Amino acid sequence: MSPKVSRRRAGLVIILVTAVLIAFGVRLIDVQLVSASTINADAESKRGVSSTIFSERGSIVDKNGEILADSADRFDLTVAPVNVKEFDRTGDDGKTSEVSREQALGEIAAITGQQEAELVGVVDAALAIDPDSNFAYLSRGLELAAYEKIRALEIPWIYPKREAARVYPNGQVAGNLTGFLGADGEPLAGLELSENQCLAGVDGEETYERSADNVRIPGTEVTLTEAKQGGTLKLTVDADLQWYALQVLAEQVTAMGGKWGHATVVEVETGKVLAVADYPSVDPNDPGATATEARGSRAFTAPYEPGSTMKALTAAMVFDKGLSTPGEQITVPGRFEQTDVSFGDDWAHGDERWTAAGIMTRSSNIGIAMMGERLSASERYDYMLDFGLNADTEADFLGEESGTVHPWEDWDPQTNYATMFGQGLQVTAPQMASAYATIANGGQRLPVQLVEGCETEDGFVETEPGEARQVVSAQAAADTLTLLEATAQSGSLAKEVAIPGYRVGIKTGTAEVSAGDGTYLQGQYMASMAGVAPIDDPKYVVTVSIMNPTTMTGSAATAPAWHDVMAYVLQSNRVAPSPSPWPTIPTTF
């Protein structure tokens, strides 16, 4: 071969090699730079898998920590039988050992309470039917703690399936407050919905790599986000008192032939709600079994005209202005007549010689109007707002109504007087309980509190209920308590409300039911009772209302329930009996 030909061949070889190198270089640039993200994503999708680290919804508990609502998430443990085989496990010491399928299934059985042979049988049975079987249940209904232990075993061929659930151990007790979840685990009502920010957990996420046969590769797990467990919602409610109040209320509403009713207990010194019972009440374990209108709390969401229970507030206003005293002697006629205004009492009478305490004891509309007219309409309106009427309470319960007190400028002459004895305005049970607690607390109104706070992994966050305010003077409040005690001592229901050993004060109320169009529903009434005990050292306020009692119409329908609930709360909290002697309060002259 001539040198010339040899050089030509060498040149061709160099050109070919150079071309190959250029081609490889271009491809390398494309792989590493141009198409790198696409290739990586494609590879990751084939080997990288994301998995949820499940969180748990927080509990709702009463003031003593008793569970009212609890997470009951359960986990089904599934497996792809075709992939069940031995695998390598790296221990804490860094050493790798082989784990047989029998050992792995035995470890699972030790946690689930099953037998190893049982789980081996599940896998073998599935493979006998279909050698390529990729689904079977190993265990169902596991609690989160058991699931976490199994997850820590890092067995590559098991997969959890979450079944969200919620349990309410006390059923209807506080179901009106807790609310409930839907079948999908989403909150639908009550505190479950309004306090979801506290209760809801946040699931975490991890990734792991899987082999060609879709089995998790042990040791490849990387936690992207830690799970955050839901917080514990602590209420001011006492579950035992709530239970008792519901039982008493249910019995009394049924006995009186009422449509529904509610009972509320407030702690005077704190403004905390210790019980809000509604009957009928919802069982949040099965809300569909309860009529839609009874699935919440009518105490918060169904305003009503308070009737004569409003008279205590009117008296407190008059006393605060220094315009009367409990012993003031007033001659009350049988009819109140003024221009464009005419009304009487519930019974016919001639001129009566009553003290202010006697007017309250006899629940005279005429007498309280004679006292209340000493104030201007605007003054009384401002007092009503200060007592907390016409506004949602600080409890901020889901769906809570603010009631209705129309601006005083809109009152006609009849309404001006009717509002003094509880007609022409609407309130809610927590509002009235708070107003009576204000009188019992030396005239200082404390915010209504239903939620103590939220306990999270970061600590306890206490609810800030709001600011206290002085509504009437301490003397005016004390004078009003005297009127309430006189009513309990010598009113028509004195025997029914007496609690041996304790001085108590009460006021009854029977109001027509508004039709919502300015008229009233014929023959329908809301019977109510509100009261304080002990009068000498006020601790608790109890209110009870029954819608349209038929067996016994009027406020007497509520007396047994009020008595039993107040007696229970005094005795269960070991409140000392009232010291003697007890005062005698003049009601006539």
Side-chain angles (χ1 to χ4, degrees), residues 44 124 164 211 220 291 307 311 355-356 363 365 418 487 502-503 545 588:
E44 184 65 24
D124 289 347
S211 60
T220 63
K311 290 172 182 172
T355 64
S363 196
N365 294 344
T487 305
Y502 296 95
R503 292 169 57 189
S545 297
T588 61

Side-chain angles (χ1 to χ4, degrees), residues 156-170:
W157 29 259
I158 58 173
Y159 311 92
K161 180 182 177 184
R162 184 186 192 182
E163 296 292 341
R166 193 74 161 159
V167 293
Y168 303 86
N170 294 287

Side-chain angles (χ1 to χ4, degrees), residues 17-92:
V17 170
T18 301
V20 170
L21 291 175
I22 291 173
F24 273 111
V26 170
R27 179 59 179 161
L28 184 61
I29 290 171
D30 179 62
V31 170
Q32 292 187 335
L33 298 178
V34 178
S35 302
S37 60
T38 301
I39 294 171
N40 285 338
D42 183 59
E44 184 65 24
S45 69
K46 294 178 180 178
R47 70 174 188 274
V49 178
S50 294
S51 176
T52 299
I53 303 175
F54 294 111
S55 63
E56 191 171 67
R57 187 172 180 82
S59 302
I60 301 177
V61 301
D62 82 338
K63 60 177 294 193
N64 300 310
E66 182 173 339
I67 293 176
L68 302 174
D70 200 12
S71 175
D73 287 353
R74 297 293 182 261
F75 299 85
D76 295 338
L77 196 64
T78 68
V79 66
V82 69
N83 295 328
V84 176
K85 60 189 68 173
E86 68 280 354
F87 62 92
D88 291 335
R89 176 186 288 161
T90 302
D92 295 337

